[in-house]
């Protein structure tokens, strides 16, 4: 039985990865940081099937201890401060978690379980102000946020440990991936959840920032399979994981409303722009500058041909299917809570 250690198991990806590895027969260890409340929302369904270990990505000794305890064959480093706007409010902490945290994982593994294979959660946010369209493994990085800059560090230190110590360490450069387990502050979940609440009459409208930015959105359940595949290869390499389609926040929003039976049209420009219910004339989306970012990533679209060729990976959920999955889930969830 193979053993896997997942940092960030309480997050969106950690929970899907744990589901997947358990289905493959793995023994799964999940690293959790100490908190005064229990944040097992995404993993309560599998809590009896995994082993929880307490450690913090900020604390090297605790990482070494849990690695010694678990003796993992595979380590998936998903723990991070992952919300881009917070990285401007807490740039130093973001660097500690998202950049130096990676070194702590690599160094702990090198000392305690040198034969283990390591997955590092790199990000398309590293491409930032993109230098090629589409972006692939050879596209240079141009991060646009403290988070993006921290991920670039994490990416290169992973490559450095691979080259310095012959460690089996891979980076997956994952483009945005979403699901009904996505955190509520990320734009897709904010939209699906708000649309559901508007449909159920619980709120009147939602506020968004830049609706013209474009993302390559996939489904988290597909993307964790790529993480696992990377660690099953004969050689450690880095891979872009994406759908190859790009859509604006505006398009995401329009289709989410349409799917819920509230078609909207846009009126006005810039900060005066509003999404108006076509049937009732009610305002359903307002643009608010408080969601604008100091620097924006305008366009992301990935080329995952390497992953498709070498890993045999491809996405199964497309843009509209993803929106339907999220809106349907939130409609049910919000109705149950009513
Ligand atoms: P997420 O839902 O925000 O989960 C982040 C996880 O990190 C949570 O389990 C969190 O634990 C944990 N964590 C944060 N600080 C920690 C600390 N000091 N010590 C231990 N654990 C800590 O993120 P996600 O969407 O699943 O993403 C997983 C990883 O992939 C992240 O590294 C993210 O940056 C990266 N990524 C995500 C995407 C995407 O579109 N989702 C794309 C590219 C890369 P708590 O529950 O205690 O907060
Ligand atoms: N969060 C949020 N809230 N974003 C908004 C809003 C809003 O009200 N209105 C517009 N947006 C725009 C943002 O300006 C951004 O251009 C886009 O929606 C997507 O924002 P997020 O969903 O917060 O994701 P992200 O692209 O910044 O970051 C996510 O993807 C990265 C991979 O590219 C995160 O999951 C990162 O951790 C991940 O690395």
């Amino acid at each position: 039985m193979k053993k896997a250690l997942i940092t960030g198991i309480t997050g969106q990806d950690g929970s899907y990865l744990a589901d997947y590895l358990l289905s493959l027969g793995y023994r799964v260890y999940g690293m959790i940081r100490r908190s005064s409340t229990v944040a097992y929302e995404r993993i309560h369904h599998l809590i009896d099937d995994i082993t929880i270990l307490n450690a913090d990505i900020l604390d090297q000794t605790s990482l070494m201890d849990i690695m010694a305890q678990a003796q993992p064959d595979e380590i998936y480093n998903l723990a991070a401060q992952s919300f881009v706007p917070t990285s401007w409010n807490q740039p130093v902490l973001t660097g500690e978690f998202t950049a130096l945290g990676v070194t702590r994982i690599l160094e702990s593994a090198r000392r305690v379980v040198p034969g283990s294979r390591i997955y590092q959660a790199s990000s398309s946010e590293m491409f930032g102000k993109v230098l090629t369209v589409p972006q692939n493994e050879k596209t240079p990085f141009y991060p646009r946020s403290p988070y993006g800059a921290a991920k670039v560090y994490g990416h290169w230190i992973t490559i450095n440990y691979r080259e310095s110590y012959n460690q089996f360490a891979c980076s997956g450069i994952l483009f945005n991936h979403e699901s009904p387990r996505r955190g509520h502050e990320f734009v897709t979940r904010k939209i699906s959840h708000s649309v559901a609440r508007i449909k159920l009459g619980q709120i009147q409208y939602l506020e968004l920032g830049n609706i013209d930015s474009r993302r390559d959105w996939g489904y988290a359940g597909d993307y964790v399979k790529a993480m696992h595949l990377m660690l099953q290869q004969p050689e450690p390499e880095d891979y872009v994981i994406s759908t190859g389609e790009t859509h604006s926040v505006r398009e995401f929003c329009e289709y989410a409303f349409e799917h819920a039976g509230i078609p909207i049209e846009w009126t006005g420009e810039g900060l005066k722009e509003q999404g108006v219910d076509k049937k009732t004339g009610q305002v359903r989306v307002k643009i608010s500058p408080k969601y604008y970012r100091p620097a924006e990533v305008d366009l992301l679209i990935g080329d995952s041909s390497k992953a498709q060729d070498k890993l045999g990976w491809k996405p199964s959920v497309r843009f509209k299917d993803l929106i339907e999955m999220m809106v349907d889930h939130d409609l049910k969830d919000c109705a149950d809570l009513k």
Side-chain angles (χ1 to χ4, degrees), residues 189-329:
R189 186 74 196 283
K190 183 176 173 182
I191 294 170
S192 65
H193 192 246
S194 301
V195 164
R197 295 190 67 204
I198 290 169
K199 177 75 181 173
L200 295 167
Q202 297 170 358
I203 56 171
Q204 294 305 307
Y205 63 90
L206 94 126
E207 283 187 326
L208 293 174
N210 176 13
I211 55 172
D212 291 321
S213 61
R214 302 182 73 84
R215 292 290 183 274
D216 179 332
W217 281 295
Y219 170 52
D222 284 341
Y223 284 39
V224 298
K225 293 180 181 169
M227 298 176 187
H228 173 256
L229 280 169
M230 285 178 216
L231 297 196
Q232 314 314 310
Q233 303 310 304
E235 297 299 330
E237 289 182 43
D238 307 320
Y239 297 85
V240 159
I241 302 297
S242 64
T243 69
E245 266 184 54
T246 189
H247 297 274
S248 64
V249 173
R250 182 191 297 267
E251 285 165 12
F252 192 104
C253 200
E254 273 168 6
Y255 190 65
F257 275 103
E258 185 185 323
H259 181 63
I262 315 171
I264 57 165
E265 65 187 1
W266 300 94
T267 61
E269 272 178 26
L271 284 177
K272 297 229 168 78
E273 192 152 34
Q274 295 183 325
V276 176
D277 188 324
K278 276 187 187 167
K279 289 180 199 149
T280 64
Q282 261 186 288
V283 173
R284 296 306 191 186
V285 187
K286 292 184 184 177
I287 305 301
S288 168
K290 75 176 177 219
Y291 296 109
Y292 285 177
R293 298 177 179 186
E296 181 60 278
V297 172
D298 296 319
L299 165 72
L300 290 175
I301 177 165
D303 167 11
S304 59
S305 344
K306 178 179 172 185
Q308 301 198 19
D309 293 347
K310 285 199 157 186
L311 305 178
W313 177 88
K314 62 175 192 317
S316 72
V317 176
R318 291 291 169 183
F319 181 65
K320 287 190 172 180
D321 306 322
L322 178 65
I323 297 173
E324 289 172 17
M325 180 199 297
M326 292 177 73
V327 171
D328 290 345
H329 171 276

Side-chain angles (χ1 to χ4, degrees), residues 7-15 31-35 39 42 55-59 63 77-83 97-98 119-125 147 151 172-178 181-183 185-186 217 220 223 227:
T7 76
I9 196 165
T10 54
Q12 172 189 255
D13 291 8
S15 65
M31 183 187 106
I32 292 188
R33 57 176 161 169
R34 196 260 159 195
S35 157
R42 296 187 180 99
D56 198 298
I57 200 81
L58 298 179
D59 188 273
L63 296 174
N77 183 36
L78 310 184
Q81 190 302 96
S82 76
F83 190 47
F97 284 18
T98 306
Y119 172 83
Q120 166 56 20
S122 284
S123 164
S124 52
E125 183 74 12
Y147 168 83
K151 281 287 179 188
I173 307 175
L174 271 53
F175 282 62
N176 299 49
H177 44 280
E178 320 294 316
R181 296 186 200 167
R182 185 56 142 156
E185 70 272 57
F186 297 92
W217 281 295
Y223 284 39
M227 298 176 187

Side-chain angles (χ1 to χ4, degrees), residues 38-226:
V38 177
Y40 290 174
E41 193 184 316
R42 296 187 180 99
I43 54 167
H44 62 77
H45 62 287
L46 46 77
I47 205 75
D48 294 335
D49 303 322
I50 61 177
T51 305
I52 297 292
L53 298 173
N54 280 107
D56 198 298
I57 200 81
L58 298 179
D59 188 273
Q60 176 98 40
T61 315
S62 67
L63 296 174
M64 292 173 74
D65 283 349
I66 63 165
M67 286 185 197
Q69 215 176 316
Q71 294 290 319
D73 302 292
E74 297 171 11
I75 299 170
Y76 295 87
N77 183 36
L78 310 184
Q81 190 302 96
S82 76
F83 190 47
V84 173
T86 297
S87 77
W88 277 285
N89 303 333
Q90 300 177 357
V92 176
L93 192 65
T94 299
E96 288 287 353
F97 284 18
T98 306
L100 282 177
V102 185
T103 310
R104 292 187 195 100
I105 290 285
L106 292 164
E107 186 59 20
S108 302
R110 182 175 83 83
R111 287 167 186 266
V112 180
V113 278
S116 60
R117 296 184 166 207
I118 301 168
Y119 172 83
Q120 166 56 20
S122 284
S123 164
S124 52
E125 183 74 12
M126 301 189 301
F127 296 124
K129 194 169 182 177
V130 298
L131 297 171
T132 69
V133 179
Q135 297 86 51
N136 64 21
E137 292 80 4
K138 295 199 170 69
T139 303
F141 300 136
Y142 191 149
R144 293 274 280 170
S145 60
Y147 168 83
K151 281 287 179 188
V152 171
Y153 173 90
H155 186 79
W156 279 108
I157 198 70
T158 302
I159 292 171
N160 181 260
Y161 267 63
R162 182 163 82 211
E163 294 177 355
S164 304
Y165 304 116
N166 208 20
Q167 221 165 353
F168 194 109
C170 305
S171 275
I173 307 175
L174 271 53
F175 282 62
N176 299 49
H177 44 280
E178 320 294 316
S179 73
R181 296 186 200 167
R182 185 56 142 156
H184 283 86
E185 70 272 57
F186 297 92
V187 78
T188 55
R189 186 74 196 283
K190 183 176 173 182
I191 294 170
S192 65
H193 192 246
S194 301
V195 164
R197 295 190 67 204
I198 290 169
K199 177 75 181 173
L200 295 167
Q202 297 170 358
I203 56 171
Q204 294 305 307
Y205 63 90
L206 94 126
E207 283 187 326
L208 293 174
N210 176 13
I211 55 172
D212 291 321
S213 61
R214 302 182 73 84
R215 292 290 183 274
D216 179 332
W217 281 295
Y219 170 52
D222 284 341
Y223 284 39
V224 298
K225 293 180 181 169

